Amino acid sequence: MKLTDNVLRSFRVAKVFRENSDKINCFDFSPNGETVISSSDDDSIVLYDCQEGKPKRTLYSKKYGVDLIRYTHAANTVVYSSNKIDDTIRYLSLHDNKYIRYFPGHAKRVVALSMSPVDDTFISGSLDKTIRLWDLRSPNCQGLMHLQGKPVCSFDPEGLIFAAGVNSEMVKLYDLRSFDKGPFATFKMQYDRTCEWTGLKFSNDGKLILISTNGGFIRLIDAFKGAVLHTFGGYNNSKAVTLEASFTPDSQFIMIGSEDGKIHVWNGESGMKVAVLDGRHTGPITCLQFNPKFMTFASACSNMVRKWALSSSE
């Protein structure tokens, strides 16, 4: 089934999960779309079965906390950042709940973590104003970049380049094979002192970059030229919350939650808002992602995850 404006307007909440006692800070779908994993400020990691629509198991990271959880390519393994004690990134086997490796190096909280879509490489950005390049097979940092401010970063869908957003005003593109030579492209944006950038994502076709902010707008830019194609607003974010914005898997639509529990959806080409979905979330929707393989998406607020599916009338 193809995603269209009407199809998006037909999504309804299919399941509500109340597994958490505190804010859900991140979730990630497995590449095959069969599971989604969440991390929460209550130190829990919850694995959900997307096909059966139920939680499969819960693990805990009580000592170090858990944030920015990401699936790796190896089955049943994740990497995540810590939000207690230290700023080490941890590589965990879900199968036996054992750490495979630690990645120490950052001196302040990790605020961005992106797994390569093609291999064992991942990048992390921290409030220590660095971006580090890692390989899952080695605890040692494979590359280090010093920046002027808080970074956001992400791989492109081919895994050949990565983008770094710096100081909430410029996007730098790096070739993974020669990133020590500096960026091969820099796009300067208009600086907005009312908010800062909180996330950066490529569309699946690699043509677009979505910049999230903790203000009342997000930006869609051309990944090759850096031109701002659209600025999307009109959703509530008065408390400067970090709200996750996402593409649909076909790269056609952009969606973000709001602090009043509604989800806003735009057509990326026309820039028109096509849907406002009411998930009846009790707080700001901090996590929002579309399933990469199935016609469902998930949203999360303070302590609840909602699974969305097409209404049965479709």
Side-chain angles (χ1 to χ4, degrees):
M1 186 185 227
K2 196 169 177 290
L3 276 179
T4 63
D5 297 5
N6 278 335
V7 168
L8 275 161
R9 283 193 279 266
S10 307
F11 273 87
R12 299 289 179 267
V13 175
K15 276 271 169 70
V16 179
F17 303 105
R18 294 181 173 86
E19 305 302 304
N20 296 95
S21 60
D22 206 338
K23 180 187 150 206
I24 294 151
N25 51 43
C26 186
F27 54 53
D28 194 34
F29 279 99
S30 60
N32 63 10
E34 288 171 10
T35 60
V36 63
I37 196 159
S38 69
S39 55
S40 165
D41 289 354
D42 64 12
D43 306 332
S44 72
I45 295 167
V46 183
L47 185 66
Y48 299 89
D49 185 311
C50 293
Q51 284 150 314
E52 293 184 23
K54 63 183 189 191
K56 270 171 72 161
R57 59 188 296 216
T58 301
L59 308 170
Y60 290 93
S61 181
K62 293 262 187 223
K63 187 174 175 185
Y64 303 106
V66 53
D67 199 353
L68 297 177
I69 197 156
R70 304 279 184 252
Y71 273 108
T72 72
H73 300 291
N76 268 329
T77 60
V78 291
V79 288
Y80 64 83
S81 63
S82 316
N83 52 18
K84 289 178 177 179
I85 298 189
D86 63 18
D87 303 288
T88 297
I89 296 163
R90 291 177 161 76
Y91 180 23
L92 177 71
S93 163
L94 301 172
H95 169 66
D96 50 10
N97 196 18
K98 288 201 167 71
Y99 291 119
I100 302 167
R101 199 160 282 116
Y102 303 102
F103 304 96
H106 282 301
K108 287 188 178 171
R109 196 167 135 235
V110 174
V111 290
L113 193 59
S114 178
M115 193 75 215
S116 163
V118 295
D119 59 24
D120 285 338
T121 313
F122 68 97
I123 48 174
S124 57
S126 160
L127 294 178
D128 63 13
K129 300 180 183 175
T130 65
I131 287 177
R132 288 176 179 261
L133 179 69
W134 309 88
D135 187 303
L136 283 175
R137 295 162 295 193
S138 164
N140 303 319
C141 171
Q142 307 291 302
L144 174 64
M145 285 162 42
H146 292 274
L147 307 164
Q148 260 73 60
K150 174 188 168 181
V152 288
C153 53
S154 183
F155 277 98
D156 82 317
E158 311 274 279
L160 296 173
I161 65 170
F162 68 87
V166 189
N167 280 359
S168 300
E169 62 177 345
M170 62 181 83
V171 175
K172 295 173 180 273
L173 299 183
Y174 294 85
D175 187 310
L176 210 58
R177 293 153 301 190
S178 57
F179 86 100
D180 49 336
K181 296 188 170 65
F184 65 84
T186 300
F187 308 138
K188 199 144 173 24
M189 309 277 138
Q190 191 178 342
Y191 180 66
D192 188 318
R193 63 168 60 89
T194 64
C195 62
E196 61 178 18
W197 294 0
T198 53
L200 186 145
K201 288 183 183 179
F202 278 89
S203 56
N204 275 345
D205 62 8
K207 294 175 181 172
L208 305 166
I209 294 173
L210 182 60
I211 298 167
S212 315
T213 74
N214 63 358
F217 67 92
I218 50 179
R219 281 207 181 106
L220 187 67
I221 69 168
D222 183 301
F224 300 104
K225 302 187 184 116
V228 176
L229 302 173
H230 297 291
T231 300
F232 303 117
Y235 59 91
N236 293 358
N237 191 12
S238 61
K239 297 189 181 80
V241 179
T242 297
L243 304 170
E244 183 178 21
S246 290
F247 287 100
T248 51
D250 60 5
S251 309
Q252 302 299 311
F253 298 93
I254 288 93
M255 51 206 303
I256 191 169
S258 61
E259 68 182 5
D260 61 6
K262 293 186 170 68
I263 292 168
H264 297 249
V265 188
W266 295 267
N267 182 305
E269 197 168 355
S270 70
M272 300 294 289
K273 188 174 285 189
V274 298
V276 179
L277 304 169
D278 190 356
R280 296 194 175 83
H281 276 285
T282 51
I285 297 175
T286 47
C287 304
L288 179 66
Q289 279 181 35
F290 218 95
N291 189 309
K293 299 289 183 207
F294 302 106
M295 204 58 110
T296 59
F297 67 89
S299 59
C301 65
S302 45
N303 56 359
M304 285 181 278
V305 176
R306 278 164 164 69
K307 178 185 176 224
W308 295 71
L310 285 172
S311 63
S312 51
S313 60
E314 283 302 300

